[in-house]
Amino acid sequence: MSRILLATRNAKKLEELSRILVPLLPEIVVLGLDDVAAYDEPAESEPTFEGNALLKSRAAVRATGLPALGDDSGLCVDALNGMPGVLSARWSGSDKDDAENNRLLLAQLRDVPDERRGAHFTCAVAFCLPTGEEQALSAEMPGTVIREQRGTGGFGYDVVFAPRGETRTAAELSIAEKDAISHRGKALRAVAPLVAAALGRGR
Ligand code: IMP
C-alpha cells in the first residue's frame, strides 16, 4: 500500500486531519510524525498559510522520502485586520496556550459591536512528492467571534467562534457537524482526490 505522512505535531489537529482523511483515502496508509524518525521541523516563518504549509510538507519529504501533507491554519478576525492569522497558535505570546489566546482575543474585541465581529478560519494544505511535484490549496469557514467561551469539543478558538448560520460555537458541534463545514474538512476533501491520483500512479 502507498503511504503518506501528515507533517503536524499539534495532537488535536492531527486527530481532526486523520479522522477526515483516512476514510477519504482507504487505499493509503496515513502516518504521523511519531511513525517516522525525528527530523528538524521548520519554524512557521512564512507570512501566509500556504507558505507555511509548503515549508512543513517540503521538510517532511526531504527528511523521510515519503509523500507528505503539510498544513497551516488559523483564525482571521475582520476587526483585527485579519489577525491573529498565521500567528493564531501563539497570539498571547506563549505557544499553543488556547485558554490565554481566547482570553486575549475576547478582551481585544470587548468594545467591537456584534455586526463587526466577523471572522473566518483558514486551512491551507500542501501536498509534496519526492519527485518535486507540489500542490497547495486552502479553504475557509466563515462565522463570528462571540462574547464568551462556550462548549467542550474541538480545540483552539472553537469555544469563541460561531460558524455562519449557527448559534452554537464550533466547540458545541459534534465532530461530524464540524468536519462537514470546517476549513480543514473542506481543504482535505479538495486535496484527497489529488493524493489518490498521485499515489495511485505509483502503485
Ligand atoms: P498551526 O496550524 O499549528 O500553526 O496552528 C493553528 C492554530 O490556529 C491553532 O493552534 C488554533 O489556535 C487555531 N486553529 C486552527 N484551526 C482551528 C480550529 O479548527 N478550531 C480552533 N482553532 C483553530
Side-chain angles (χ1 to χ4, degrees):
M1 288 240 276
S2 300
R3 297 182 299 164
I4 188 164
L5 175 62
L6 284 185
T8 184
R9 281 266 166 229
N10 180 326
K12 286 284 186 182
K13 257 183 18 184
L14 184 62
E15 187 186 310
E16 280 201 12
L17 288 164
S18 337
R19 80 175 180 235
I20 299 168
L21 202 59
V22 167
L24 294 172
L25 298 173
E27 303 287 301
I28 292 165
V29 177
V30 178
L31 304 175
L33 287 177
D34 288 341
D35 300 316
V36 298
Y39 62 90
D40 271 342
E41 294 164 42
E44 297 178 12
S45 53
E46 290 290 315
T48 64
F49 293 113
E50 287 198 6
N52 282 326
L54 277 165
L55 276 185
K56 294 183 215 177
S57 178
R58 284 180 190 141
V61 174
R62 240 190 337 266
T64 66
L66 290 167
L69 280 179
D71 87 299
D72 194 37
S73 55
L75 179 67
C76 303
V77 177
D78 299 348
L80 297 176
N81 292 325
M83 290 192 279
V86 293
L87 304 177
S88 290
R90 48 192 184 279
W91 188 234
S92 64
S94 45
D95 211 8
K96 302 200 178 79
D97 187 339
D98 290 345
E100 262 315 302
N101 286 340
N102 283 312
R103 262 196 294 279
L104 177 61
L105 181 66
L106 290 184
Q108 289 167 325
L109 298 184
R110 194 182 49 210
D111 296 332
V112 177
D114 289 353
E115 63 276 16
R116 289 202 285 111
R117 298 180 72 93
H120 61 268
F121 280 110
T122 296
C123 175
V125 177
F127 173 44
C128 296
L129 288 161
T131 55
E133 285 171 79
E134 298 185 343
Q135 320 230 27
L137 57 87
S138 55
E140 296 183 357
M141 171 166 63
T144 53
V145 178
I146 63 165
R147 291 184 178 279
E148 72 277 341
Q149 307 196 26
R150 285 200 331 247
T152 53
F155 67 101
Y157 298 95
D158 278 342
V159 287
V160 298
F161 181 85
R164 184 174 291 163
E166 270 294 336
T167 50
R168 294 174 296 174
T169 65
E172 293 174 309
L173 302 180
S174 69
I175 57 177
E177 286 173 319
K178 182 178 175 192
D179 293 348
I181 58 169
S182 79
H183 46 313
R184 201 163 288 105
K186 290 177 193 166
L188 290 178
R189 285 191 290 277
V191 84
L194 309 179
V195 174
L199 300 195
R201 271 197 329 250
R203 269 206 294 274

